[in-house]
Amino acid sequence: MSQQILEHVEKSYLKEKVPFFEIGDNVDVHTRILEGTKERIQVFSGVVIARSGSGSREMFTVRRIVQGEGVERKFPLHSPKIADVVVKRHGIVKRAKLYYLRDRVGKATKLKERRVKKTG
Amino acid sequence: MSTGILGRKVGMTQVYDESGRAVPVTVIEAGPCHVLQVRTRERDGYNAVQLGFADKPRRLARRSERGHVAKIESARSRSRADAGVEVVGKAGAEPKRYVREFRGEAGDATVGQEVKVDIFSEEDSVDVTGTSKGRGFSGVMRRHNFAGQRASHGVKKVHRHPGGTGCSAYPSRVFKGKRMAGQYGNARCTVRNLKVVGVDAEKNLLLVEGGIPGPNGGFLVIRKTNMLK
């Protein structure tokens, strides 16, 4: 019963349309940031290596290499600050958490591309 | 009107405010409560409103509990009625599991009236009282955050002990109130000035920012805050 009540509370804070992406996808994450009084969109692009949590607490982790240094950012999926998540490229992966990418450097970090037939 | 309400802790979750900030909230199932009794200075010596929350099955309720919420026919009640004794009003509700009083002028509260969570819709912050989770007989490190003693350098078998308590020649005794090991938790505990994040009158839910004492399902007393602005 209490779980249903919590789900009911979270429901009103969930996004109506959750951007669709999968583990191993290359994505552009558009985040709204406030600069003084002006709002602008900042883009963080990289590979989705994990999704965690459920309901309004769901998070996803994006990893990229900046100047030879691995950078990971964890975003709350349902946060109003996340404007959009655009999928650039699908990757072929066999697990839900791609933490093995942390131990790899250079070319080995690249995932094989999964071609998706465009429909419609 | 009552200054507070009774409820139950449902659990914690996370919501977003207007600015997009993730807010940790505790969900409280608050009310609906029935006013079971109105205490007055003339009759009881003090002013208060007595509320009851959560129905108790009649087979588990004592006769006194059933008689407290609704009229029960008995030989005594009949004889009193025949003698013309005025009967005290009853709420006409089911027996309640959790009954508490709120001190203060009753105002427009009447017996049998339903108190709902919308009394907090205009309120910024509330105080929540509950019973904290029991941790049993705990040592000073857990109970009072003492640092303990060293792992080595000659310390033997007393790594989690409090150390000395009574000093030396002066005062040659242990001061009253010295923090020591003992029962920790399972005590009445109030958290004041919790911000009200949301009120759902339809589902009887109250959302407050931050944690509150006790386990999920624990009974709570929720009042308008007494913190000065």
Side-chain angles (χ1 to χ4, degrees):
Chain A
M1 185 61 206
S2 57
Q3 205 54 44
Q4 284 150 15
I5 295 174
L6 287 183
E7 271 169 28
H8 167 80
V9 170
E10 285 178 10
K11 209 166 69 187
S12 53
Y13 293 93
L14 300 185
K15 278 183 182 164
E16 276 173 25
K17 216 178 151 202
V18 182
F20 178 80
F21 58 91
E22 286 170 305
I23 308 294
D25 287 357
N26 261 78
V27 293
D28 282 356
V29 183
H30 296 243
T31 49
R32 293 196 182 93
I33 58 165
L34 218 59
E35 255 177 16
T37 54
K38 265 202 176 152
E39 199 183 68
R40 69 176 188 91
I41 300 262
Q42 193 184 52
V43 180
F44 185 87
S45 44
V47 187
V48 180
I49 62 162
R51 278 175 91 140
S52 61
S54 64
S56 67
R57 302 178 303 277
E58 187 167 352
M59 312 273 281
F60 63 99
T61 311
V62 179
R63 180 180 172 85
R64 67 174 295 184
I65 308 291
V66 181
Q67 293 171 353
E69 192 67 40
V71 175
E72 283 179 20
R73 257 187 93 172
K74 211 169 175 183
F75 297 99
L77 182 63
H78 291 281
S79 167
K81 295 233 168 177
I82 305 296
D84 201 5
V85 180
V86 182
V87 178
K88 290 292 187 194
R89 182 177 179 271
H90 299 282
I92 295 178
V93 290
K94 290 185 172 177
R95 25 183 89 28
K97 306 273 191 267
L98 308 183
Y99 296 142
Y100 65 85
L101 289 181
R102 291 172 178 169
D103 303 328
R104 298 195 174 179
V105 283
K107 209 176 160 189
T109 56
K110 219 155 162 84
L111 297 168
K112 265 191 191 163
E113 186 168 2
R114 178 165 56 88
R115 299 266 174 199
V116 181
K117 269 185 196 159
K118 288 237 168 78
T119 50
Chain B
M1 204 63 206
S2 168
T3 55
I5 198 167
L6 308 176
R8 236 176 163 168
K9 178 166 163 182
V10 175
M12 290 193 73
T13 183
Q14 173 182 306
V15 301
Y16 297 99
D17 66 5
E18 316 84 56
S19 62
R21 190 175 66 103
V23 185
V25 293
T26 305
V27 180
I28 300 168
E29 188 184 359
C33 295
H34 281 98
V35 177
L36 300 185
Q37 210 173 7
V38 175
R39 304 273 191 193
T40 54
R41 180 167 285 282
E42 299 80 59
R43 195 179 64 226
D44 308 294
Y46 63 98
N47 291 316
V49 178
Q50 189 184 79
L51 296 186
F53 172 67
D55 289 349
K56 192 179 201 174
R58 282 184 170 250
R59 66 190 158 78
L60 298 178
R62 283 180 217 108
R63 194 173 159 80
S64 60
E65 287 173 322
R66 282 183 276 135
H68 188 58
V69 294
K71 203 169 165 245
I72 296 185
E73 279 297 318
S74 65
R76 184 163 178 270
S77 73
R78 276 192 296 274
S79 66
R80 275 164 72 89
D82 292 342
V85 179
E86 200 181 333
V87 184
V88 187
K90 296 288 170 76
E94 290 294 301
K96 300 295 179 189
R97 279 186 66 180
Y98 192 58
V99 177
R100 289 292 180 276
E101 287 183 1
F102 292 88
R103 292 292 283 262
E105 289 289 329
D108 58 351
T110 51
V111 173
Q113 185 188 29
E114 210 171 51
V115 179
K116 300 192 108 173
V117 69
D118 51 23
I119 56 169
F120 293 129
S121 9
E122 304 288 312
E123 216 62 31
D124 286 334
S125 42
V126 291
D127 295 347
V128 178
T129 304
T131 306
S132 59
K133 281 185 187 171
R135 290 160 178 87
F137 192 102
S138 300
V140 287
M141 285 181 71
R142 173 174 279 264
R143 191 175 182 217
H144 300 299
N145 295 327
F146 280 19
Q149 294 181 39
R150 292 207 275 190
S152 66
H153 287 282
V155 178
K156 249 186 187 173
K157 299 176 183 171
V158 290
H159 308 287
R160 297 182 61 87
H161 280 223
T165 54
C167 306
S168 187
Y170 176 80
S172 292
R173 64 186 174 89
V174 178
F175 287 119
K176 272 188 184 175
K178 176 74 194 157
R179 291 178 297 166
M180 290 188 182
Q183 165 67 32
Y184 179 34
N186 193 22
R188 181 189 157 97
C189 180
T190 304
V191 182
R192 290 168 73 200
N193 213 17
L194 288 168
K195 200 174 146 203
V196 175
V197 176
V199 174
D200 185 345
E202 206 175 303
K203 292 251 177 189
N204 301 308
L205 298 179
L206 177 69
L207 270 62
V208 295
E209 184 171 346
I212 56 174
N216 291 345
F219 286 111
L220 304 167
V221 177
I222 306 130
R223 294 165 210 276
K224 289 169 186 172
T225 188
N226 60 1
M227 206 79 130
L228 297 172
K229 285 273 155 62

